Amino acid sequence: DQQVKQNSPSLSVQEGRISILNCDYTNSMFDYFLWYKKYPAEGPTFLISISSIKDKNEDGRFTVFLNKSAKHLSLHIVPSQPGDSAVYFCAAIQGAQKLVFGQGTRLTINP
Amino acid sequence: NAGVTQTPKFRVLKTGQSMTLLCAQDMNHEYMYWYRQDPGMGLRLIHYSVGEGTTAKGEVPDGYNVSRLKKQNFLLGLESAAPSQTSVYFCASSTLQVPNQPQHFGDGTRLSIL
């Protein structure tokens, strides 16, 4: 039972354009949603989060949108830069800090 | 700032061998976690700890044991390694009961079971 799903294994975007990474979830009790970024041979690093009571959170080039009725969230990166090439994991929390991760989306930014 | 440190970084084992993966954090975090990452599966929680001396099962605990004898260390043991346990293992830590505080991850241990 995959509670958090990232249906796109990979995404390729041109430098300077917008990258949109999508995530769907099934558990309406999740309190917070987070995005992590992972480079090869490194651990995931936290990127941005959003509370379930919000619909948007922005941090510099990164914005996360939450649509609770659709059980869908998305991460927008504008403008995309070569250093953004990484695997992005969507994750959700319910209660005491047990993260549930999606499968990840590999983002490639082309020059 | 070391953050979360995992040792070893790489290991190859034969089926049936045992080993212990060590995770150490220097951020005084209460919560610690062990995950495994497999292709197409994301990160799955193996075991976790909410404080020194406590452990609990995660999503995929079978074949693993853990111990948290000191607050800063969280050990993951494989008593009899199986090829299905070939994976990349990540340790993480976080503060207590603050849902929007992110988990901090180590750089992983790549484990191959032959």
Side-chain angles (χ1 to χ4, degrees):
Chain A
D1 179 23
Q2 189 83 28
Q3 295 188 71
V4 178
K5 294 183 182 180
Q6 294 175 257
N7 293 316
S8 298
S10 63
L11 176 67
S12 185
V13 174
Q14 196 165 3
E15 182 179 358
R17 306 294 289 267
I18 183 171
S19 295
I20 300 176
L21 295 96
N22 294 304
C23 179
D24 297 300
Y25 62 95
T26 58
N27 186 348
S28 59
M29 300 300 291
F30 284 135
D31 301 308
Y32 274 88
F33 301 89
L34 301 89
W35 286 93
Y36 281 80
K37 177 180 180 179
K38 185 185 179 304
Y39 292 120
E42 294 184 9
T45 55
F46 170 73
L47 191 57
I48 191 169
S49 67
I50 187 168
S51 165
S52 61
I53 63 173
K54 301 276 182 73
D55 55 20
K56 177 182 175 181
N57 187 27
E58 193 171 352
D59 183 2
R61 296 186 298 115
F62 303 92
T63 303
V64 57
F65 295 93
L66 176 62
N67 183 335
K68 288 185 68 177
S69 61
K71 294 190 176 66
H72 177 83
L73 66 156
S74 61
L75 174 68
H76 293 212
I77 306 173
V78 183
S80 300
Q81 299 175 353
D84 297 329
S85 294
V87 176
Y88 289 79
F89 289 99
C90 170
I93 291 181
Q94 177 190 354
Q97 286 270 31
K98 285 189 287 183
L99 276 175
V100 179
F101 283 88
Q103 305 96 312
T105 297
R106 181 178 302 278
L107 176 64
T108 302
I109 306 302
N110 302 308
Chain B
N1 291 335
V4 178
T5 303
Q6 292 184 232
T7 53
K9 295 190 184 304
F10 305 95
R11 186 73 183 267
V12 178
L13 291 179
K14 294 181 179 178
T15 297
Q17 286 186 315
S18 63
M19 80 160 295
T20 300
L21 281 65
L22 171 64
C23 176
Q25 54 96 2
D26 61 1
M27 296 172 283
N28 201 34
H29 285 167
E30 290 291 336
Y31 283 63
M32 296 188 74
Y33 314 81
W34 276 107
Y35 295 90
R36 60 178 288 174
Q37 184 194 7
D38 301 294
M41 303 282 291
L43 284 83
R44 293 181 293 168
L45 184 64
I46 304 171
H47 286 280
Y48 65 101
S49 169
V50 302
E52 182 178 327
T54 71
T55 63
K57 293 181 180 180
E59 180 185 356
V60 288
D62 293 342
Y64 305 95
N65 56 76
V66 288
S67 64
R68 182 102 181 264
L69 299 179
K70 294 183 178 180
K71 185 177 183 179
Q72 63 268 33
N73 295 336
F74 195 28
L75 306 180
L76 178 70
L78 286 74
E79 290 188 348
S80 179
S84 61
Q85 293 177 305
T86 293
S87 188
V88 182
Y89 292 85
F90 288 100
C91 176
S93 69
S94 64
T95 55
L96 177 66
Q97 293 289 355
V98 185
N100 63 334
Q101 287 297 315
Q103 294 182 12
H104 298 261
F105 284 82
D107 286 339
T109 295
R110 185 173 296 275
L111 186 61
S112 295
I113 315 296
L114 304 179

